[in-house]
Amino acid sequence: MDLVLGQPRDLTFHCRINMRPVPKAAIKHTHNGKGYYPKSTYQAMDRIKRETLNKKIARFSESGFDPMTDPGQAIFTQAIKVTLVFAFIRPASVPSHKRPYPSVVPDIDNLAKLTLDSLQPHVIKDDCLIVTLKKRKIYDATEYIDIVIEDLL
């Protein structure tokens, strides 16, 4: 099947980014009222953008599509389902019987917000296209962000 960006098709995009999940921080303000995000937010967003863009290029190169003709073109432009998994290493001081799930900070909504904002506009045209969103925080042997996006149309 030929993949053409912007056309309806059966498509799934999967990317695992080996990094500690970072939440999108609140906007900070300077003394003159200008707003900015902390450096860690920008660094995490840049890393996610780089890794997902590389995955997009590899995915479409395999199918015969040349993503370099327009690497900024979004893969998904219609209704989508997104699944996000944020994996953290269990602290040695926290036994699994005491806390089986990472039910502590960072907040899962802020983790998802940073990740989804990083996918625009090169993977997802706009996050308003998301009609189903599944999010999970887990403990694992390594830290990573797992992103799965599926076309619904």
Side-chain angles (χ1 to χ4, degrees), residues 98-106 137 139:
K98 275 194 140 184
R99 189 185 329 139
Y101 302 102
S103 55
V104 294
V105 295
K137 286 194 311 186
Y139 284 128

Side-chain angles (χ1 to χ4, degrees), residues 121-138:
H122 66 284
V123 177
I124 300 172
K125 183 177 180 182
D126 193 305
D127 57 8
C128 71
L129 299 172
I130 301 169
V131 295
T132 303
L133 176 61
K134 294 182 181 181
K135 308 175 272 191
R136 288 182 61 203
K137 286 194 311 186
I138 62 170

Side-chain angles (χ1 to χ4, degrees), residues 15-127:
C15 187
R16 177 170 283 189
I17 302 164
N18 294 314
M19 65 178 277
R20 180 175 181 79
V22 177
K24 189 161 189 178
I27 294 177
K28 303 206 183 281
H29 296 281
T30 62
H31 64 281
N32 64 0
K34 238 181 175 179
Y36 67 95
Y37 286 108
K39 188 176 181 180
S40 62
T41 298
Y42 288 117
Q43 289 172 333
M45 289 180 78
D46 286 344
R47 172 103 186 258
I48 293 169
K49 283 180 185 178
R50 248 189 349 266
E51 300 240 0
T52 54
L53 183 58
N54 289 342
K55 180 71 171 188
K56 171 187 166 183
I57 290 170
R59 169 80 165 89
F60 282 102
S61 294
E62 290 170 5
S63 67
F65 174 77
D66 181 11
M68 296 314 290
T69 56
D70 189 3
Q73 174 72 37
I75 298 173
F76 297 96
T77 57
Q78 298 180 18
I80 55 173
K81 170 185 171 183
V82 178
T83 304
L84 302 172
V85 177
F86 303 99
F88 296 90
I89 296 174
R90 179 186 300 282
S93 61
V94 180
S96 60
H97 69 277
K98 275 194 140 184
R99 189 185 329 139
Y101 302 102
S103 55
V104 294
V105 295
D107 181 63
I108 196 165
D109 288 335
N110 291 328
L111 291 168
K113 193 181 309 179
L114 182 128
T115 303
L116 295 173
D117 286 350
S118 301
L119 297 175
Q120 296 176 69
H122 66 284
V123 177
I124 300 172
K125 183 177 180 182
D126 193 305
D127 57 8

